[in-house]
PDB file of all heavy atoms in Angstrom:
ATOM      1  N   ARG B  41      -2.426   9.452  -5.171  1.00 74.00           N
ATOM      2  CA  ARG B  41      -3.362  10.567  -5.358  1.00 74.00           C
ATOM      3  C   ARG B  41      -3.727  10.810  -6.809  1.00 74.00           C
ATOM      4  O   ARG B  41      -4.614  11.611  -7.096  1.00 74.00           O
ATOM      5  CB  ARG B  41      -2.783  11.841  -4.734  1.00 74.00           C
ATOM      6  CG  ARG B  41      -2.333  11.605  -3.303  1.00 74.00           C
ATOM      7  CD  ARG B  41      -2.057  12.870  -2.555  1.00 74.00           C
ATOM      8  NE  ARG B  41      -1.257  12.582  -1.357  1.00 74.00           N
ATOM      9  CZ  ARG B  41      -1.102  13.392  -0.350  1.00 74.00           C
ATOM     10  NH1 ARG B  41      -1.696  14.560  -0.357  1.00 74.00           N
ATOM     11  NH2 ARG B  41      -0.353  13.065   0.690  1.00 74.00           N
ATOM     12  N   GLN B  47       2.334  21.403 -15.148  1.00 88.00           N
ATOM     13  CA  GLN B  47       3.627  21.846 -15.687  1.00 88.00           C
ATOM     14  C   GLN B  47       4.744  21.198 -14.893  1.00 88.00           C
ATOM     15  O   GLN B  47       4.624  21.007 -13.691  1.00 88.00           O
ATOM     16  CB  GLN B  47       3.766  23.377 -15.596  1.00 88.00           C
ATOM     17  CG  GLN B  47       2.708  24.165 -16.363  1.00 88.00           C
ATOM     18  CD  GLN B  47       2.914  25.655 -16.228  1.00 88.00           C
ATOM     19  OE1 GLN B  47       4.026  26.172 -16.328  1.00 88.00           O
ATOM     20  NE2 GLN B  47       1.820  26.383 -15.982  1.00 88.00           N
ATOM     21  N   VAL B  58      10.681  22.818  -4.956  1.00 90.00           N
ATOM     22  CA  VAL B  58       9.333  22.923  -4.418  1.00 90.00           C
ATOM     23  C   VAL B  58       8.347  22.766  -5.563  1.00 90.00           C
ATOM     24  O   VAL B  58       8.660  23.082  -6.721  1.00 90.00           O
ATOM     25  CB  VAL B  58       9.127  24.289  -3.704  1.00 90.00           C
ATOM     26  CG1 VAL B  58       9.284  25.442  -4.692  1.00 90.00           C
ATOM     27  CG2 VAL B  58       7.772  24.362  -3.035  1.00 90.00           C
ATOM     28  N   SER B  63      -3.485  27.282  -8.332  1.00 87.00           N
ATOM     29  CA  SER B  63      -4.065  28.533  -7.838  1.00 87.00           C
ATOM     30  C   SER B  63      -3.036  29.370  -7.082  1.00 87.00           C
ATOM     31  O   SER B  63      -3.022  30.597  -7.190  1.00 87.00           O
ATOM     32  CB  SER B  63      -5.279  28.243  -6.945  1.00 87.00           C
ATOM     33  OG  SER B  63      -4.898  27.462  -5.834  1.00 87.00           O
ATOM     34  N   LYS B  86      15.058  29.534   2.895  1.00 82.00           N
ATOM     35  CA  LYS B  86      15.603  28.760   1.781  1.00 82.00           C
ATOM     36  C   LYS B  86      15.051  29.321   0.481  1.00 82.00           C
ATOM     37  O   LYS B  86      13.902  29.768   0.415  1.00 82.00           O
ATOM     38  CB  LYS B  86      15.223  27.286   1.882  1.00 82.00           C
ATOM     39  CG  LYS B  86      15.976  26.486   2.951  1.00 82.00           C
ATOM     40  CD  LYS B  86      15.555  25.033   2.926  1.00 82.00           C
ATOM     41  CE  LYS B  86      16.326  24.218   3.950  1.00 82.00           C
ATOM     42  NZ  LYS B  86      17.756  24.094   3.581  1.00 82.00           N
ATOM     43  N   ASP B 103      -1.074  22.832  -0.575  1.00 84.00           N
ATOM     44  CA  ASP B 103      -0.744  24.000  -1.390  1.00 84.00           C
ATOM     45  C   ASP B 103       0.688  23.926  -1.904  1.00 84.00           C
ATOM     46  O   ASP B 103       0.969  24.282  -3.042  1.00 84.00           O
ATOM     47  CB  ASP B 103      -0.944  25.284  -0.570  1.00 84.00           C
ATOM     48  CG  ASP B 103      -2.399  25.510  -0.223  1.00 84.00           C
ATOM     49  OD1 ASP B 103      -3.269  24.832  -0.826  1.00 84.00           O
ATOM     50  OD2 ASP B 103      -2.679  26.366   0.636  1.00 84.00           O
ATOM     51  N   LEU B 106       7.039  19.755  -0.752  1.00 86.00           N
ATOM     52  CA  LEU B 106       8.471  19.853  -0.548  1.00 86.00           C
ATOM     53  C   LEU B 106       9.082  18.461  -0.496  1.00 86.00           C
ATOM     54  O   LEU B 106       8.380  17.492  -0.201  1.00 86.00           O
ATOM     55  CB  LEU B 106       8.779  20.587   0.760  1.00 86.00           C
ATOM     56  CG  LEU B 106       8.213  22.001   0.888  1.00 86.00           C
ATOM     57  CD1 LEU B 106       8.452  22.524   2.299  1.00 86.00           C
ATOM     58  CD2 LEU B 106       8.861  22.933  -0.123  1.00 86.00           C
ATOM     59  N   PRO B 127      -4.086  -0.505  -3.314  1.00 73.00           N
ATOM     60  CA  PRO B 127      -3.920  -1.962  -3.214  1.00 73.00           C
ATOM     61  C   PRO B 127      -3.165  -2.540  -4.400  1.00 73.00           C
ATOM     62  O   PRO B 127      -3.216  -2.013  -5.527  1.00 73.00           O
ATOM     63  CB  PRO B 127      -5.372  -2.462  -3.205  1.00 73.00           C
ATOM     64  CG  PRO B 127      -6.135  -1.405  -3.929  1.00 73.00           C
ATOM     65  CD  PRO B 127      -5.471  -0.105  -3.594  1.00 73.00           C
ATOM     66  N   PRO B 175     -28.226  38.693  10.137  1.00 85.00           N
ATOM     67  CA  PRO B 175     -28.636  40.081  10.387  1.00 85.00           C
ATOM     68  C   PRO B 175     -29.380  40.699   9.207  1.00 85.00           C
ATOM     69  O   PRO B 175     -30.347  41.452   9.412  1.00 85.00           O
ATOM     70  CB  PRO B 175     -27.297  40.793  10.623  1.00 85.00           C
ATOM     71  CG  PRO B 175     -26.371  39.709  11.096  1.00 85.00           C
ATOM     72  CD  PRO B 175     -26.781  38.488  10.334  1.00 85.00           C
ATOM     73  N   GLU B 198     -60.632  52.777   3.360  1.00 84.00           N
ATOM     74  CA  GLU B 198     -61.023  51.728   2.391  1.00 84.00           C
ATOM     75  C   GLU B 198     -61.753  50.592   3.096  1.00 84.00           C
ATOM     76  O   GLU B 198     -62.780  50.108   2.600  1.00 84.00           O
ATOM     77  CB  GLU B 198     -59.777  51.212   1.688  1.00 84.00           C
ATOM     78  CG  GLU B 198     -60.048  50.069   0.713  1.00 84.00           C
ATOM     79  CD  GLU B 198     -58.767  49.494   0.138  1.00 84.00           C
ATOM     80  OE1 GLU B 198     -57.718  50.192   0.182  1.00 84.00           O
ATOM     81  OE2 GLU B 198     -58.809  48.344  -0.339  1.00 84.00           O
ATOM     82  N   GLY B 206     -71.398  46.730   2.516  1.00 83.00           N
ATOM     83  CA  GLY B 206     -71.981  45.409   2.747  1.00 83.00           C
ATOM     84  C   GLY B 206     -70.996  44.277   2.908  1.00 83.00           C
ATOM     85  O   GLY B 206     -71.406  43.134   3.141  1.00 83.00           O
ATOM     86  N   PRO B 209     -66.648  41.504   7.837  1.00 84.00           N
ATOM     87  CA  PRO B 209     -65.245  41.458   8.294  1.00 84.00           C
ATOM     88  C   PRO B 209     -64.475  40.235   7.804  1.00 84.00           C
ATOM     89  O   PRO B 209     -63.320  40.368   7.384  1.00 84.00           O
ATOM     90  CB  PRO B 209     -65.383  41.485   9.821  1.00 84.00           C
ATOM     91  CG  PRO B 209     -66.643  42.238  10.053  1.00 84.00           C
ATOM     92  CD  PRO B 209     -67.558  41.831   8.958  1.00 84.00           C
ATOM     93  N   ALA B 248     -14.800  27.590 -13.884  1.00 70.00           N
ATOM     94  CA  ALA B 248     -14.373  27.496 -15.281  1.00 70.00           C
ATOM     95  C   ALA B 248     -13.302  26.418 -15.486  1.00 70.00           C
ATOM     96  O   ALA B 248     -13.235  25.793 -16.550  1.00 70.00           O
ATOM     97  CB  ALA B 248     -13.855  28.848 -15.761  1.00 70.00           C
ATOM     98  N   VAL B 257     -28.951  22.378  -4.011  1.00 78.00           N
ATOM     99  CA  VAL B 257     -29.872  23.466  -3.704  1.00 78.00           C
ATOM    100  C   VAL B 257     -30.465  23.233  -2.319  1.00 78.00           C
ATOM    101  O   VAL B 257     -31.049  22.175  -2.074  1.00 78.00           O
ATOM    102  CB  VAL B 257     -31.006  23.551  -4.746  1.00 78.00           C
ATOM    103  CG1 VAL B 257     -31.958  24.688  -4.414  1.00 78.00           C
ATOM    104  CG2 VAL B 257     -30.422  23.721  -6.151  1.00 78.00           C
ATOM    105  N   THR B 268     -41.614  31.935   6.002  1.00 90.00           N
ATOM    106  CA  THR B 268     -41.424  33.008   6.978  1.00 90.00           C
ATOM    107  C   THR B 268     -41.853  34.363   6.412  1.00 90.00           C
ATOM    108  O   THR B 268     -42.556  35.144   7.076  1.00 90.00           O
ATOM    109  CB  THR B 268     -39.955  33.076   7.424  1.00 90.00           C
ATOM    110  OG1 THR B 268     -39.588  31.827   8.002  1.00 90.00           O
ATOM    111  CG2 THR B 268     -39.748  34.184   8.441  1.00 90.00           C
TER     112      THR B 268
END
Side-chain angles (χ1 to χ4, degrees):
R41 309 193 197 196
Q47 300 180 44
V58 62
S63 60
K86 286 182 178 291
D103 294 347
L106 302 173
E198 177 186 340
V257 180
T268 301

